[in-house]
Amino acid sequence: MLNDVSTTPRTRMTSDGRRRQLLGIGLRMLVERPISELSVDAVAAEAGISRGLLFHYFPTKGAYHDAVIGAAIRRVLRNTAPDEDAAPEEAVAQFVRRFLEQVDRRRDFYLALVFGTGARSLGGDRVESLRLVFARRLVDAIGAGEDAVPVAHAWAAYVEDRALQWSDPAALAGRVPIEQEVTHCVAALDALLAVGS
Amino acid sequence: MLNDVSTTPRTRMTSDGRRRQLLGIGLRMLVERPISELSVDAVAAEAGISRGLLFHYFPTKGAYHDAVIGAAIRRVLRNTAPDEDAAPEEAVAQFVRRFLEQVDRRRDFYLALVFGTGARSLGGDRVESLRLVFARRLVDAIGAGEDAVPVAHAWAAYVEDRALQWSDPAALAGRVPIEQEVTHCVAALDALLAVGS
């Protein structure tokens, strides 16, 4: 005899599946408008569920927005993580390369995440946490001390700006090969760490 | 006989005065919410005028939002300009010092401008233009060539991140004196320019 799950109609979803679907819709919409304009009605309509059912998964509009931003940050962190077993210099290069690729592939998504999520109304917490994870990863990878975190944190902002310049559609024709950009950013970290605090 | 202006009631304003008043209200409100949530009804109410009169000065909500962001950017640029006659190294130091002071004095305003203006929906144009003016100013001040602009542009992002770390209320007790932070950022520019593109 078939179990219950196999007889569930296709339109029924597991709780986890529904949650993932709703976050996926939010991630797509995030590219088109600031998060503060992301309407839960539009999300529920696209998912084919009622507003009430959406609020079953995310109790408030704010909770839904937070979950979407959290999912966006996790996506960027997952896509830019260096390999666990990479040597220090290679780990930095991997991070820069993967970050450049991420911004190049999903530039509007990245701009939306950093500059369109109303990070301000959260006191800049989200941008802060993204750069802080980048910084701690890098400092761990190169075996530097805690006092290197502020430089690595600001270097992450430097690399972000380079990535946005490099991936600018208006400058695409004249851009340098990705490995040249990686080399620059890796050397920039060394140079900045040598400046000292 | 008194002229017309002197007999104008106090509640009547010149066109320029009214425009400045409306932008001033927007600049204050910008600190409290993302620009996309800035309501022209609330602005008109605070100014004591009708919504229709506001639209006489700014034909659409978008035009008003743009004008507020433009005024915010002009304010930051004015406050951070180095002296016209400063020597190259001193011009860089003056920019960094004035930028640190600006962010420290008006941290929420700066966060609102960069991360809360829905710069994303404008393709990041506003942040871009702010950093681009910083970069061109600096490159001019130190007499470097056009090829130094991408490094100076990303260095502006580096300094911005340092300023936000330095002015973080949670880290205020342990922060270094402003001149130490200025020295670091000036040395960072030299180090990054030496890396080359």
Side-chain angles (χ1 to χ4, degrees), chain A residues 16-36:
Chain A
D16 270 7
R18 182 65 82 189
R19 182 180 284 270
R20 272 199 305 277
Q21 178 205 29
L22 293 170
L23 291 178
I25 293 170
L27 287 171
R28 277 203 309 282
M29 287 189 174
L30 189 61
V31 176
E32 287 150 27
R33 71 210 81 184
I35 188 100
S36 58

Side-chain angles (χ1 to χ4, degrees), chain B residues 108-130:
Chain B
D108 288 343
F109 169 75
Y110 193 83
L111 284 169
L113 174 61
V114 173
F115 301 106
T117 58
R120 191 249 1 144
S121 53
L122 301 162
D125 284 353
R126 298 306 192 146
V127 180
E128 172 60 26
S129 77
L130 187 59

